[in-house]
């Protein structure tokens, strides 16, 4: 099949950026989207042009490294699918594709499609954990966890930290990411002692990183490759209010 | 070079306990004065960095991804073993130990494996306390499933994302220490060399992948937790960035490399679809709990699978290994798949595939149960192949997956360079010639949480280290060498792409040093690797600059190292004139086509000493003594 690509090219954070057009022929429908970019990059290298920089590693939809906006949608059009798992058969022959990096104040651009998502790490560092020293844990089956809670915690914990939720949000909010972490740990008995400090610290760090506020657009859930539910945002809000009240009291 | 395994004396079951009691401790105030460098943030690296920091050490941790959370451990699907015996099915520390030693075809050190089995139970406790959402039964207790090569149910799992959840647990512990400023994290940073001063590892040279800046980092000990090197085959189930660079550069500085040819080819991966293919995708071994593997009885049978009646199907694993059936160990399952495909009975494009069929399991358990167990794996399969495993069997084929070989380490996980440790997949330790499923996660976390943090103290408590800074000539010299190499790669103005070299190397190894090996092929591969390496430095084209984010340059450095390392792999495979586990030498097999070991001649770990690029390495042998398990011909029939 044939596709026409318009790829955002930008040499560095301070350099000007623009879309560059590439016409691709002989694209196999069995190729993944990133394999298609690999092929293009090989052609660029053969022409002594600079290949397109993009983040990727596992190519199995789990590491969260890959991420680009394809025709206005983070990770492209397919439901619950990262860019690396998207296959060219999803697109019609002759498709025209616009490919851009995540755009958000908290994700400064590095080069082409690559951005710095360190802000998400810093949010976790602010309290996205359960404090437990190695070696101090009680016997694993000492505290039973109802299957329903464990399953729901797992739904939240499935977040791959790719940042698609931020890229999809008109306010560039990281609320879904934060809500997933708060819910994952807050649903488990082990996470209770730090539950209210955790939510307060994560939200404070999210604000400090320059992410926008959540105004319930719901675009984040639609873009999330792991289909993390915005119900977790409601859960975060409840925890947040409770934490605020208990701090005052 | 002398290999001293430092295995404690006394009965197997008491060795670790006693060793821990006798180990020298660093007093808390002194811990604050030490800096430890940990390269890697996967299960092994993140758990080690976090635990060391909790103990009071200052830690610098490096990874090449943009976040510590993206290390390739994240991709592990199936599960992690532990001898909890929660299922009351007769499991025990001894049984886990025994299964692992036998599964590894008697090429691992008994003492290490026993310790691993003992620690396995603490790992589950630790992870649950961190909030790892393992699968649970309705009563709220932890659930288990089975993996290949064993007859008990001891595998803990979190849907099909066990590695992700374990890594997030370790990453969160690491993040906490970063927040407390006990760990300094350096993402997008690649270690390109080791600095050795007076015979001791004292630091590393790192390239910042964004700015291209090359810098030196000093410390009192260096821990390599840099994962496996399956990408030497180009196509593998590993992430694109997985490499041999860190351990290879350490090898060139004096660390012995053990059993480099022991590479695991995993039986259940999605077959190759075309030339564009950049990597292969694993379908978790857990699928073999319920999926049945078969090919048509008749060669060249092109009917669709659902039209082939049962009596015209060959469930070859069930036929050959009635007591383990579809759960035969990986090396065996892979080799048998290759065999039936080589006979012309393979299915799918090119005949490189066998069926993994859920029809009977769906009929027995219902679609819902199967969806609950494997839903996300089925979806992944469908996304990649556009075929629905509920309607027609999956097609699978073996692919390179895991490397049992790695840096040689003693019982304390120290390499042959003082102060240099290797943990996780980067060392050779516990899996012998074949790793059983769900045991790599266990080993990485055992090393990182529970072994290294103690054993490194033993070294630091006894050694007297001079204060060094990176202005020391050894740092300056090594840094200059690294910069020169980077510049040389960037300047190479040849015609052939890095990718083309990597593919060619991968093909050579897959054909000659993959699932089955023979002297002639190995010799030829070794010669051709030398030629390819020369061609690389003459004719590669990298482009761009060294002072920039340059992914082609990153790849070029890794391929350059693979091109040196691959020769050692073939050399090792050639020297080992026996078959064991994954290492199947066609010349040495039983009449039934099973691996035929030669314990008298090869009952040792082969630890190679570097002697120069293109120069034959020097072999050192660590004899393996089996005091507890009697080495026998492995039988899974
Ligand atoms: C698809 C897949 C599924 C698997 N499933 C299972 C399973 O179900 N059960 C099981 O037990 N095992 C499984 N395994 C094996 C297991 O996941 C790995 O062996 C294990 O996770 C390796 O952990 P590690 O910490 O040693 O290395 P990794 O997780 O690979 O981490 C390596 C780290 O080193 C860093 N690094 C590497 N080189 C450099 C360098 N030069 N400079 C700086 N940093 C560097 C990386 O950035 C990374 O942080 C699976 C493996 C794969 C590929
Ligand atoms: S490359 Fe890992 S999620 Fe896409």
């Amino acid at each position: 099949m044939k596709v026409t690509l318009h790829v955002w090219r930008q040499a560095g954070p301070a350099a000007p950026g623009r879309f560059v057009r590439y016409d691709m022929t002989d694209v196999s429908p069995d190729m993944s989207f990133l394999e298609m970019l690999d092929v293009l990059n090989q052609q660029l290298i053969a022409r002594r042009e600079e290949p397109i920089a993009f983040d990727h590693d596992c190519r199995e939809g789990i590491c969260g490294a890959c991420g680009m906006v394809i025709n206005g949608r983070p990770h492209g059009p397919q439901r619950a699918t990262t860019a690396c798992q998207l296959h060219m058969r999803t697109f019609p022959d002759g498709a025209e594709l616009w490919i851009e990096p995540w755009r958000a104040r908290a994700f400064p651009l590095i080069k082409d499609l690559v951005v710095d998502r360190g802000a998400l790490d810093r949010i976790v560092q602010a309290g996205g954990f359960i404090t437990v020293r190695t070696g101090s844990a009680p016997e694993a089956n000492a505290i039973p966890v109802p299957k329903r809670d464990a399953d729901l915690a797992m739904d939240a914990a499935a977040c791959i930290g790719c940042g698609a939720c931020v890229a999809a949000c008109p306010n560039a909010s990281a609320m879904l990411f934060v809500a997933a972490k708060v819910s994952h740990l807050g649903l488990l008995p082990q996470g209770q002692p730090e539950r209210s400090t955790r939510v307060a610290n994560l939200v404070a760090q999210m604000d400090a990183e320059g992410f926008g506020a959540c105004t319930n657009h719901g675009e984040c859930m639609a873009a999330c490759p792991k289909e993390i539910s915005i119900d977790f945002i409601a859960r975060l809000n409840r925890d947040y209010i409770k934490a605020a009240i208990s701090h005052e009291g | 070079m002398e290999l001293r395994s430092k295995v404690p004396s006394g009965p197997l079951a008491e060795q670790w306990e006693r060793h821990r009691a006798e180990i020298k401790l660093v007093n808390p105030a002194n811990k604050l004065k030490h800096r430890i460098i940990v390269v890697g943030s996967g299960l092994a690296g993140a758990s080690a960095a976090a635990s060391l920091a909790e103990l009071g050490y200052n830690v610098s941790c490096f990874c090449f991804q943009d976040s510590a959370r993206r290390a390739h451990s994240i991709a592990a699907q199936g599960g992690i073993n532990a001898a909890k015996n929660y299922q009351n099915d007769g499991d025990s520390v001894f049984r886990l130990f025994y299964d692992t030693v036998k599964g590894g075809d008697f090429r691992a050190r008994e003492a290490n494996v026993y310790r691993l089995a003992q620690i396995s139970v603490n790992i589950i406790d630790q992870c649950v306390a961190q909030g790892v959402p393992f699968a649970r039964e309705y009563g709220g207790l932890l659930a288990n499933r089975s993996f290949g090569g064993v007859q008990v149910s001891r595998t803990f799992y979190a849907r099909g994302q066990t590695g992700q959840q374990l890594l997030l647990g370790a990453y969160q512990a690491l993040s906490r220490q970063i927040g407390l400023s006990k760990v300094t994290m350096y993402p997008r940073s690649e270690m390109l060399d080791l600095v050795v001063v007076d015979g001791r590892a004292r630091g590393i040279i790192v390239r910042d992948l964004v700015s291209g800046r090359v810098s030196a980092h000093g410390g009192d000990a260096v821990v390599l937790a840099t994962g496996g090197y399956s990408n030497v085959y180009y196509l593998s189930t590993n992430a694109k960035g997985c490499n041999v660079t860190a351990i290879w550069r350490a090898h060139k500085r004096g660390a012995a490399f053990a059993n480099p040819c022991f590479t695991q080819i995993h039986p259940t991966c999605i077959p190759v679809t075309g030339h564009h293919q950049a990597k292969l995708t694993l379908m978790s071994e857990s699928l073999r709990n319920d999926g049945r593997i078969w090919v048509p009885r008749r060669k060249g049978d092109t009917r669709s699978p659902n039209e082939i009646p049962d009596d015209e199907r060959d469930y070859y694993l069930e036929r050959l290994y009635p007591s383990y059936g579809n759960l035969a160990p990986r090396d065996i399952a892979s080799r048998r798949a290759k065999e039936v495909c080589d006979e012309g009975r393979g299915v799918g494009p090119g005949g490189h595939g066998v069926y993994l069929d859920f029809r009977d399991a769906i009929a027995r358990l219902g679609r819902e149960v199967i969806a609950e167990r494997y839903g996300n794996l089925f979806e992944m399969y469908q996304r990649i192949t556009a075929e629905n495993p509920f309607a027609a069997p999956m097609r699978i084929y073996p692919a390179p997956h895991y490397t049992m070989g790695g840096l040689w380490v003693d019982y304390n996980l120290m390499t042959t360079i003082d102060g240099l440790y290797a943990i996780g997949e980067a060392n050779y330790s516990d899996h012998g010639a074949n790793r059983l499923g769900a045991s790599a996660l266990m080993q990485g976390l055992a090393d990182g949480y529970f072994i290294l943090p103690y054993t490194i103290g033993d070294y630091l408590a006894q050694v007297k280290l001079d204060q060094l800074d990176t202005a020391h000539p050894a740092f300056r010299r090594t840094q200059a060498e690294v910069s020169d190499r980077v510049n040389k790669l960037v300047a190479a103005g040849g015609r052939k792409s890095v990718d083309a070299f990597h593919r060619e190397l991968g093909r050579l190894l897959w054909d000659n040093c993959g699932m089955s090996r023979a002297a002639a092929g190995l010799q030829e591969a070794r010669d051709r690797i030398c030629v390819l390496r020369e061609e690389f430095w003459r004719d590669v084209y990298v482009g761009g600059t060294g002072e920039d984010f340059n992914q082609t340059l990153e790849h070029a450095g890794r391929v350059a190292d693979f091109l040196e390392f691959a020769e050692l792999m073939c050399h090792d495979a050639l020297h080992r004139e026996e078959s064991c586990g994954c290492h199947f030498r066609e010349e040495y097999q039983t009449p039934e086509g099973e691996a035929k070991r030669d314990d008298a001649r090869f009952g040792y770990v082969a630890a190679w000493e570097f002697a120069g690029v293109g120069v034959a390495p020097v072999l050192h042998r660590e004899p393996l003594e089996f005091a507890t398990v009697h080495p026998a011909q492995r039988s899974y029939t």
Side-chain angles (χ1 to χ4, degrees):
Chain A
M1 56 192 271
K2 286 196 177 80
V3 289
T4 301
L5 307 178
H6 303 272
V7 182
W8 186 261
R9 303 300 311 260
Q10 186 171 344
R18 65 191 176 101
F19 283 104
V20 177
R21 179 186 166 129
Y22 303 99
D23 291 297
M24 302 267 303
T25 52
D26 283 335
V27 173
S28 155
D30 286 333
M31 280 179 186
S32 71
F33 195 80
L34 300 192
E35 282 168 345
M36 184 272 298
L37 289 182
D38 290 340
V39 170
L40 172 59
N41 273 346
Q42 288 303 309
Q43 293 170 1
L44 294 178
I45 290 170
R47 300 205 297 257
R48 297 288 190 265
E49 291 175 36
E50 213 175 317
I52 300 158
F54 61 93
D55 264 323
H56 65 100
D57 201 26
C58 74
R59 300 214 177 186
E60 290 192 7
I62 191 74
C63 74
C66 68
M68 51 193 80
V69 175
I70 303 167
N71 285 355
R73 301 180 64 175
H75 291 300
Q78 196 176 342
R79 183 190 67 81
T81 303
T82 53
C84 61
Q85 290 280 286
L86 187 64
H87 280 68
M88 292 311 291
R89 64 177 85 89
T90 321
F91 301 103
D93 195 8
E96 189 150 7
L97 305 173
W98 298 79
I99 308 171
E100 313 167 62
W102 288 170
R103 295 192 196 276
R105 188 150 63 99
F107 291 163
L109 187 128
I110 292 176
K111 185 175 182 177
D112 293 340
L113 304 174
V114 178
V115 299
D116 178 354
R117 288 169 289 193
L120 299 181
D121 287 320
R122 289 188 293 273
I123 290 177
V124 177
Q125 287 155 19
F129 44 73
I130 292 172
T131 299
V132 45
R133 293 176 68 90
T134 300
S136 62
E139 152 56 44
N141 258 347
I143 308 171
V145 181
K147 182 170 174 357
R148 218 189 33 199
D149 294 350
D151 285 348
L152 199 56
M154 180 63 220
D155 289 344
C159 168
I160 59 174
C162 64
C165 47
V166 178
C169 177
N171 309 334
S173 169
M175 200 63 153
L176 190 61
F177 172 82
V178 175
K181 189 62 7 200
V182 163
S183 303
H184 159 207
L185 299 174
L187 276 158
L188 297 168
Q190 291 81 3
Q192 297 314 309
E194 291 163 295
R195 187 164 164 184
S196 58
T197 47
R198 181 183 306 119
V199 67
N201 290 341
L202 293 194
V203 170
Q205 188 65 32
M206 172 175 76
D207 293 342
E209 294 290 347
F211 290 103
C214 171
T215 46
N216 298 317
H217 283 271
E219 302 285 347
C220 50
M221 177 162 89
C224 176
K226 299 295 147 182
E227 302 193 295
I228 309 258
S229 163
I230 47 172
D231 292 351
F232 292 125
I233 295 184
R235 191 174 277 278
L236 177 146
N237 285 329
R238 282 199 301 278
D239 276 11
Y240 188 73
I241 291 166
K242 246 199 258 169
I245 293 169
S246 70
H247 278 293
E248 281 164 16
Chain B
M1 178 181 292
E2 200 193 344
L3 301 178
R4 290 200 299 135
S5 68
K6 305 214 178 118
V7 171
S9 56
L12 195 58
E14 290 163 26
Q15 283 168 343
W16 176 232
E17 194 55 42
R18 187 136 52 83
H19 190 61
R20 274 205 314 176
E22 287 169 2
I23 250 172
K24 299 274 181 305
L25 298 177
V26 180
N27 90 42
N30 283 345
K31 283 191 186 127
L32 302 176
K33 295 183 199 146
H34 288 293
R35 176 160 296 276
I36 298 173
I37 290 176
V38 177
V39 188
S41 64
L43 285 180
S47 59
S51 303
L52 289 166
E54 282 168 14
L55 287 171
Y57 296 108
N58 303 300
V59 178
S60 302
C61 183
F62 300 80
C63 73
F64 66 74
Q65 292 92 349
D66 71 317
S67 163
R69 68 181 289 155
R70 306 203 204 285
H72 192 52
S73 295
I74 202 97
Q77 304 168 350
I80 176 167
N81 288 331
K84 284 283 198 188
N85 192 31
Y86 284 160
Q87 304 304 319
N88 195 28
D89 55 1
D91 200 11
S92 62
V93 166
F94 185 84
R95 194 177 288 277
L96 174 53
F97 153 74
Y98 177 84
D99 286 343
T100 307
V101 170
K102 174 184 168 193
D105 215 358
F106 309 97
R107 289 292 173 265
R109 201 187 277 152
E110 272 191 342
N112 284 54
V113 180
Y114 197 88
R115 172 176 66 184
L116 176 65
Q118 285 175 307
I119 290 174
S120 69
V121 297
N122 305 112
I123 295 173
I124 303 303
D125 298 344
Q126 177 70 22
C127 295
V128 166
Q130 288 171 340
V132 170
F134 282 119
R136 291 186 180 260
E137 321 258 11
Y138 282 99
L141 302 180
L142 292 157
N144 292 113
R145 61 184 171 205
S146 307
F147 257 57
V150 304
Q151 290 173 315
V152 292
S153 222
R154 64 160 72 103
T155 304
F156 294 78
Y157 62 101
R159 298 214 181 121
Q161 292 119 281
T162 316
Q164 179 198 27
Q165 294 310 316
L166 296 174
L167 184 60
L168 291 181
Y171 160 79
Q172 286 166 196
L174 174 64
S175 296
R176 179 168 162 257
Q177 297 303 324
I178 297 170
L180 294 170
S181 303
K182 285 304 290 179
V183 176
T184 312
M185 186 72 216
Y186 298 85
R188 291 202 200 271
S189 298
E190 183 163 34
M191 166 183 163
L192 293 180
D193 217 332
L194 177 75
V195 181
V196 180
V197 181
D198 299 331
R200 297 204 172 91
R202 293 304 304 271
I204 60 173
I205 306 297
V206 172
R207 181 167 176 273
D208 177 323
L209 298 179
V210 177
S211 68
R213 208 171 72 86
V214 173
S215 60
H217 298 259
D220 301 315
V222 176
V223 181
L224 300 184
T226 49
Y229 51 82
S230 293
N231 274 352
V232 70
Y233 291 100
Y234 187 74
L235 286 181
S236 86
T237 65
N238 284 194
K240 292 295 283 178
C242 294
N243 65 82
V244 79
T245 290
I247 56 175
W248 182 249
R249 303 284 172 99
H251 173 63
K252 291 175 80 169
R253 298 273 170 207
F257 207 117
N259 301 335
C261 81
F262 286 177
T263 53
Q264 176 162 82
I265 313 292
H266 195 294
T268 55
C269 304
I270 300 180
V272 178
T273 57
H275 284 303
H276 55 262
Q277 194 105 18
K279 77 152 279 177
L280 295 171
T281 303
L282 175 80
M283 288 282 102
S284 167
E285 174 161 299
S286 61
L287 293 167
R288 291 200 272 146
N289 270 294
D290 288 304
R292 297 180 69 196
I293 294 176
W294 63 276
V295 290
R297 272 191 196 289
R298 199 153 48 75
K299 280 184 199 176
D301 189 336
T302 53
R303 286 176 292 174
S304 89
N306 292 334
E307 284 167 16
I308 302 179
D310 253 0
D311 59 348
E312 293 179 46
R313 299 177 173 196
D314 180 11
Y315 292 93
Y316 56 89
L317 289 177
E318 297 173 21
R319 173 169 58 80
L320 293 164
Y321 308 100
S323 57
Y324 283 76
N326 295 297
L327 286 174
R330 292 179 176 175
D331 51 344
I332 292 178
S334 289
R335 211 145 52 228
R336 293 300 182 189
K338 177 178 189 297
E339 196 176 270
V340 293
C341 293
D342 289 350
E343 286 166 21
R345 297 195 287 145
V347 298
H352 290 299
V354 301
Y355 290 125
L356 177 62
D357 199 340
F358 291 87
R359 184 195 63 182
D360 298 346
I362 294 167
R364 181 163 41 93
L365 301 164
R367 194 185 156 111
E368 240 160 64
V369 173
I370 297 299
E372 151 108 15
R373 281 186 195 166
Y374 311 111
N376 58 340
L377 296 172
F378 279 27
E379 271 178 35
M380 176 145 93
Y381 183 84
Q382 188 161 5
R383 262 199 296 277
I384 294 173
T385 63
E387 289 168 23
N388 175 5
F390 280 111
M394 288 183 177
R395 281 180 296 109
I396 52 163
Y397 198 68
H401 175 61
Y402 180 88
T403 50
M404 282 76 71
L407 292 185
W408 183 90
V409 288
D410 65 16
Y411 189 71
N412 293 325
L413 306 179
M414 186 147 90
T415 67
T416 54
I417 299 178
D418 276 358
L420 179 71
Y421 291 78
I423 60 176
E425 194 172 338
N427 71 25
Y428 88 103
S429 64
D430 304 345
H431 309 293
N434 170 58
R435 177 175 70 82
L436 292 180
S439 57
L441 303 182
M442 169 172 72
Q443 182 228 329
L445 291 180
D447 290 359
Y449 282 131
F450 295 107
I451 303 173
L452 178 96
Y454 296 111
T455 57
I456 208 167
D458 193 45
Y459 168 73
L460 293 172
Q462 296 184 61
V463 69
K464 211 171 146 359
L465 295 169
D466 300 331
Q467 280 290 351
L468 280 188
D469 69 34
T470 51
H472 186 280
F475 279 90
R476 293 234 297 273
R477 197 171 49 240
T478 315
Q479 182 168 343
E481 284 171 27
V482 166
S483 297
D484 283 352
R485 193 173 147 109
V486 169
N487 294 338
K488 203 169 145 199
L489 281 169
V490 176
R495 288 161 305 168
K496 211 161 136 180
S497 76
V498 176
D499 208 61
F501 279 104
H502 196 176
R503 278 177 197 270
E504 211 168 314
L505 174 67
R507 188 79 233 176
L508 255 176
L509 287 175
W510 178 244
D511 289 342
N512 299 295
C513 197
M515 265 186 288
S516 87
R517 303 148 179 203
L522 287 167
Q523 265 151 0
E524 195 197 316
R526 206 173 47 177
D527 296 345
R528 284 176 55 193
I529 290 164
C530 294
V531 174
L532 195 63
R533 190 169 58 228
E534 278 164 24
E535 191 193 334
F536 176 87
W537 285 103
R538 207 178 48 240
D539 205 23
V540 73
Y541 171 72
V542 176
T545 78
E547 289 85 46
D548 186 17
F549 187 80
N550 185 341
Q551 291 170 309
T552 316
L553 176 61
E554 289 169 35
H555 190 197
R558 293 170 191 157
V559 172
D561 290 329
F562 279 140
L563 281 164
E564 293 178 4
F565 167 70
E567 193 182 341
L568 179 67
M569 239 173 106
C570 293
H571 194 85
D572 183 43
L574 193 57
H575 115 282
R576 195 170 274 279
E577 293 173 337
E578 65 162 351
S579 294
C580 58
C582 70
H583 173 63
F584 191 75
R585 281 285 298 265
E586 288 160 15
E587 305 94 315
Y588 311 100
Q589 49 181 308
T590 66
E592 303 80 38
E594 302 294 355
K596 195 164 150 201
R597 288 200 324 270
D598 184 343
D599 292 336
R601 286 180 64 216
F602 294 98
Y604 61 76
V605 175
W608 299 96
E609 181 182 350
F610 184 72
V613 175
V615 179
V618 183
L619 175 64
H620 300 271
R621 299 180 179 86
E622 182 198 339
L624 290 168
E625 282 145 31
F626 292 91
T628 309
V629 181
H630 178 64
Q633 156 87 36
R634 268 189 327 170
S635 164
Y636 291 96
T637 48

